[in-house]
């Protein structure tokens, strides 16, 4: 790309950022407010960054928020800080990479709240910054970001409250996990087609994809085999999360009225948090905005969709 091309690209980015900024100034409509102070939302990884902001904003809209985090003491501290601001929040320990922790958390929720209305799966890890692309921690990234998210969803679906407005699940994901992303396109055309076709999409397909990726990482053969070239392990984990979101939307679609569960995923953008090494072009508050907007949409909201910047994007 020449100098003029870079300048045009920069102008387009700046224009889009301005458009996004204007969108975020529009308040979430509360005229069709379906929630109340009795509405319970769980946000994982809520002790910092985007998770903290989603929890804070949901509580500011009048919901009760359970702030789940692996670091119990840090979770208690941030929950206490929001309580001192008059917000209705509580905290509890949850390590999504540990099955026993997830089961314990689910039992605690039932014992203390009976049921929940919203689940935001935000907890995740990334070990690459800037231009780095190491897959040294690929197994941990997949286990946390994909398997952990799936583990929490399966444990919490039975805990979701029946409602005419429908319970809501939101998976915090990334454009880096798009099947046909401009810069991170999945190289295997056959796998791309299967992932994007409802009839062929299955948990076995998604699990098989991540298992094959981890096998190639172990064998040091992954580089020439068409996996995403940016933040590869993180991107594959989010590719799996996106596909699983669509799969669960299909499986949950047969639930009867009053027991509906809507599930979507969203990309918060390149946000200045500890996970990005405080790089990025927006704050955590801005990054959380679309997530809060989605879960507070009135009833009959979309399901199985991918969002960014308060609009639907393609997988």
């Amino acid at each position: 790309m020449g100098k003029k091309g870079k300048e045009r690209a920069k102008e387009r980015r700046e224009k889009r950022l301005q458009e996004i900024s204007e969108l975020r100034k529009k308040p979430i409509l509360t005229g069709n407010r379906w929630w109340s102070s009795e509405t319970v939302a769980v946000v994982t990884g809520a002790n910092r960054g985007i998770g903290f902001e989603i929890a804070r904003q949901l509580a500011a809209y009048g919901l009760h928020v359970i702030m789940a985090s692996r670091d119990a003491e840090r979770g208690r501290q941030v929950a206490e800080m929001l309580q001192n601001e008059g917000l209705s929040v509580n905290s509890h320990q949850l390590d999504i990479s540990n099955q026993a922790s997830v089961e314990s958390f689910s039992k605690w929720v039932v014992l203390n709240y009976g049921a929940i209305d919203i689940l935001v799966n935000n907890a995740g890890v990334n070990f690459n910054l800037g231009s780095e692309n190491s897959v040294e921690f690929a197994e941990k990234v997949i286990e946390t970001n994909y398997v952990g998210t799936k583990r929490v969803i399966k444990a919490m679906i039975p805990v979701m409250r029946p409602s005419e407005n429908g319970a809501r699940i939101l998976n915090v994901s990334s454009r880096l996990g798009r099947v046909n992303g401009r810069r991170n396109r999945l190289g295997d055309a056959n796998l791309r087609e299967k992932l994007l076709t409802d009839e062929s999409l299955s948990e076995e397909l998604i699990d098989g994809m991540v298992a094959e990726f981890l096998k190639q990482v172990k064998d040091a053969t992954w580089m020439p085999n068409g996996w995403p070239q940016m933040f590869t392990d993180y991107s594959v984990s989010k590719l799996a999360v996106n596909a699983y979101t669509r799969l669960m939307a299909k499986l949950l679609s047969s639930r009867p009225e009053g027991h509906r569960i809507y599930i979507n995923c969203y990309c918060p953008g390149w946000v200045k948090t500890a996970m990005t090494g405080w790089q990025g072009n927006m704050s955590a508050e801005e990054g959380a905005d679309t997530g809060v907007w989605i879960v507070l949409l009135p009833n009959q909201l979309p399901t199985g969709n991918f969002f960014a910047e308060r609009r639907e994007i393609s997988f």
Side-chain angles (χ1 to χ4, degrees), residues 158-213:
V159 184
M160 304 204 83
R161 194 189 324 273
S163 164
E164 64 178 12
N165 296 296
R168 291 110 192 274
I169 300 173
L170 179 66
N171 298 324
V172 180
S173 190
S174 172
R175 286 184 179 91
L176 292 173
R178 294 171 73 184
V179 175
N180 285 312
R182 182 170 59 87
R183 294 184 298 173
N184 237 20
R185 181 186 179 98
L186 190 63
D188 186 332
N190 183 51
L191 180 56
R192 288 203 309 270
E193 182 178 359
K194 288 181 178 179
L195 288 171
L196 291 174
T197 304
D198 286 348
E199 290 73 22
S200 60
L201 185 61
S202 68
E203 189 170 348
E204 291 74 21
L205 175 69
I206 305 168
D207 287 353
M209 174 188 70
V210 298
E212 179 61 25
F213 169 67

Side-chain angles (χ1 to χ4, degrees), residues 262-279:
Y262 302 96
I263 180 169
N264 294 289
C265 54
Y266 98 104
C267 175
W270 192 29
V271 181
K272 296 175 184 176
T273 64
M275 184 179 284
T276 64
W278 306 106
Q279 301 175 39

Side-chain angles (χ1 to χ4, degrees), residues 225-257:
N225 287 324
W227 299 105
Q229 295 301 301
M230 294 177 62
F231 300 161
T232 300
D233 52 6
Y234 180 82
S235 298
V236 172
S237 74
K238 294 303 186 180
L239 176 66
V241 166
N242 291 347
Y244 190 71
T245 301
R246 288 181 45 242
L247 174 64
M248 288 307 300
K250 180 174 70 171
L251 296 177
L252 293 169
S253 65
S254 61
R255 294 172 71 95
E257 288 290 339

Side-chain angles (χ1 to χ4, degrees), residues 123-184:
V125 295
N126 171 44
F127 293 93
N128 289 301
L129 295 174
S131 60
E132 297 173 7
N133 193 31
S134 167
V135 293
E136 179 182 357
F137 301 101
E139 189 169 348
K140 184 172 183 178
V141 171
I142 296 294
E143 173 64 27
T144 304
N145 296 357
Y146 168 56
V147 181
T149 295
K150 183 169 68 167
R151 186 180 286 125
V152 173
I153 290 172
K154 288 184 175 182
M156 298 308 291
I157 280 177
V159 184
M160 304 204 83
R161 194 189 324 273
S163 164
E164 64 178 12
N165 296 296
R168 291 110 192 274
I169 300 173
L170 179 66
N171 298 324
V172 180
S173 190
S174 172
R175 286 184 179 91
L176 292 173
R178 294 171 73 184
V179 175
N180 285 312
R182 182 170 59 87
R183 294 184 298 173
N184 237 20

Side-chain angles (χ1 to χ4, degrees), residues 286-312:
E286 292 169 324
D289 173 81
T290 294
V292 174
W293 171 76
I294 295 166
V295 296
L296 294 185
L297 285 171
N299 57 355
Q300 301 302 317
L301 72 160
T303 190
N305 290 7
F306 193 11
F307 293 90
E309 300 151 6
R310 293 204 191 186
R311 63 177 181 174
E312 183 182 347

